[in-house]
Amino acid sequence: MKHLPKPLMLLSLLLFCLQLFANTVIVKGRIKDKEGAAKAWWPVTISVDSTLNANCIGHHTVYTDSSGHYADTISCSNTIQQVFISTYDCNYQSLFHVEKPNGNNVVQSNFTICVAAPVCYAAFYMTKDSSKPKRIVAHAVANTSVGDSIKQYLWIWGDGDSTKTQAAQASHTYKQDGSYSVCLRIKTVKGCSSYACDSVEIYSKCRAKFYYTSLADSSNGYGVRTFSQQSFAPPGDGIVKRIWLWGDGTKSESKDSINATHYYNKTGTYNIALVIKTKRGCSDTARMDVPVPVNGFQCYANFVYTADSSMVYFNSSASHGGTYDSIINRQWSFGDSSYLDGNIVTPSHHYIDTGWYNTCITITTASGCTNTFCNVVRVNHQQTPGECHAAFTDTLWQQSQQGYAVKFNSSYSYAYNGDSVIYRTWHFGDGTAGYGNTIEPVHYYNQPGQYNVCLAIQSSGGCVDSICRIITIPPIQVNCRAAFSYKARGTSIQFYSADSSYAGAGDSIVHVSWSFGDSTILTGDPNPLHVYKHAGTYYVCLSIKTTSGCESTVCGWVAADSIPQTYCDATLYYDTVLTDGEGQKIQFNSNGSQPPSGDSILYRTWYFGDGAVLGGNDAQPYHYYKAGNYTVCLFIETSGGCKDSTCINLTIRPGQAQCVAAFTSYQRSDTAWFNSGNSSAALGDSIIMYKWNFGDSSTALTEISVANPVHHYAYPGTYKVCLTIYTASGCTHTTCTTIDINVSDSIACVPVFTVEKLGPGKYRFNSAGSTTAPGDQIVKRYWNFGDSSYLDGNNINPVKELPINGTYNVCLTIRTAQGCTKQYCQVLNIRDSTTDNSDWVKLLKVFPNPVAGPFKAVVWSKINNIKCEVSVVDAFGGIRRNKSVRLTEGVNILDMTATGLTTATYYLRVTTIYGSKSKLFFKL
């Protein structure tokens, strides 16, 4: 055996040690508070920066000892160049250090916590360049601690490129279409670092895209409905053909087949493809695997029976196994503790005693679908001979907020020889039933589908008969459409949607939102005027929402350019700016008037309607009025000789306020829809809160989110409804009107409940006081206890444990046999548990602050999946923005927007069952 010379052995050992030391780093430090006291048993997370090819993925968590010191050793296969060390302070805000090993491969990182240490949050949003589809502009909205500032923005574009900037904005042009993850890493002067990512989809060519839903099974097979309105064509191009390939060898082809329907004869998974073609020759295909049936298999159990004294003969041949499926098992429960299993279609059963028996059949199909149907069987050993016949018809009514209403008519049922029907039992096929002797019940179905409806009758002579029939409720149809047109004057675009967008009969549009394609969003105005800063082509989207919940969005390209205008246009509007001893001072504004391109307005002549005339070229005159009605006209003339005029009607009321509350209403049955779109505020002012009083016992409604509310009345009558508006400048105005509510006694119902404390955190709810119309009864109670738990069925007095202090909004929804559905809610404040949870949810940060548009809220939660209401509240207590979110355990960064808010001070408020937390911010 040969040995290396001694000098070579020493050299090899030295190289080995250097390599070993280079791949092993000792990380140590101390954590103390602002007073210098040690923070014992405090967690510290240590990880290696894998982006520098250390080939060491993962992290270690160690804890400080009693003196606040921590230490850890990290070894990797490659040289460790950079280490991340993080912990958190007493407010659960993350603290983050980035360190490089020194010459001895040691990293020393100390933390002083529970002080105003440097904290930063990376956040950004992206906009697309409408003229360059592959170019995006990223805008950082990151924030830092007071006294700190961001010294570097690192943009990682997701395609291998990155950009370092000192400015808060950067742009990037992608070489290829696709989906990219864009990330921003910021570094501050005081060493804070933060990281945030978002995704962007780049497409410069046409793009096919679709989604799908199910249709009710029919004799045609299993139905699938597809929607392709999200498909895209570039500016100046348009989709001229859509081809649907259904995956079963068939296809549909049409220019207008934006939405398509197809039925399959067999179950399975089908690869559906959408091929689009544009007028410029672009083509794209989208594919999706679709399970058929979409919502799983559907089957329906059913039976009828005849009774001969104590012997009852059943027939379940009307049970339906589903399209192209078959029943393989029927399990019978006869209601007298006896059962029958197998697949017997027509069993018979002998009952020992007379009475009513709840008999059920449960079917199972070859595909695994199960369904149960129950009916009450009357057994009478001494039944009087006679004959009766059960029969009914059904009529589908118009869709409403409660779902689809079906009116049943059993007047065709009869009994012979002077006998009469005295009792009717309805089973509506959705788990609900109606009892008594209702001849024409109305029932509401929540979901489309097929329902097995049964009617059982009994005559005064003891005759019993029943009939069952399957009815079909079609899928709820989308019955609203967003549409808009526009008129361009250079870069000033007047949009119109009020006349072209529509809602279905009995419905109304209550929310309008515009996205103008230049990062500007506007809500509330159906016909806005928008001025673009630069000429170009912009992708504009309009979204609407109706009272019934129907939503629709339409998008299109709008050109804002300098095309010469060949006409002139006179426009004016006005506002009340002062009320004093001289009367109402009205400020007029004609700046929206337009001359032809290259021309200018030379003369403006104002006719104020009270005999006063103003010549010259004053674009914004004011005029004093006494109470009365006036017609105000403006005449313009340009240097080139173009002339135009416009007139408006002006009504001045005695003591007219600087803001006006106004609303319209629409009533149907027990429901009223209100719209306050005609309310107005003075020039430069804005409405910040609406307060409604509906004239019944309901609590006044004050949330800004219900400027156009819907209200349900429990009883018929005449109600005085009042609306009060509040503006940012302090103006208030109230208007009232009366409405007539005609509620049919057959569908009136009132839910109510009381709360009884049984012990610490334990409560009994009692809904026995809920009432219905005469002859009606409650068949279903649905409890929502406000802690994400629910109870279905018909429990009158449930007992619930609420062991955690907090505020719970407990709601009871009832449904009656005749179709009345109402909800009653009561706020329950729990303050007696021993658990201290006041700090289980914390609002840590609002950034940036002041706010210009989009902003972030940082919320910490101790527990997972807690419901949270996030609200923007003005100085008057009015809710200006509101959304519901689910918080995860730890830090949650929530996206909010202040777009559309006037310049003022606001509060961001987060509310959970553990209370509310607020932080102040200022809107620029």
Side-chain angles (χ1 to χ4, degrees), residues 114-129:
C114 304
V115 296
V119 178
C120 56
Y121 299 98
F124 66 97
Y125 64 94
M126 293 175 285
T127 58
K128 291 185 179 180
D129 190 328

Side-chain angles (χ1 to χ4, degrees), residues 821-878:
T821 301
K822 290 289 190 304
Q823 184 182 77
Y824 170 74
C825 296
Q826 189 178 144
V827 175
L828 184 63
N829 291 307
I830 305 298
R831 293 292 181 267
D832 60 353
S833 77
T834 58
T835 303
D836 182 10
N837 48 54
S838 59
D839 288 330
W840 280 19
V841 174
K842 298 180 180 181
L843 175 58
L844 302 180
K845 196 74 174 178
V846 175
F847 68 95
N849 191 3
V851 174
F855 65 99
K856 305 282 187 180
V858 183
V859 181
W860 178 87
S861 175
K862 185 175 181 179
I863 62 175
N864 190 40
N865 196 31
I866 180 175
K867 184 178 180 181
C868 176
E869 295 290 328
V870 187
S871 308
V872 174
V873 183
D874 58 42
F876 299 91

Side-chain angles (χ1 to χ4, degrees), residues 332-341 349-351 357-360:
W332 293 86
S333 171
F334 295 111
D336 61 351
S337 300
S338 60
Y339 304 90
L340 178 64
D341 206 352
H349 185 70
H350 177 263
Y351 290 89
Y357 295 89
N358 187 36
T359 304
C360 298

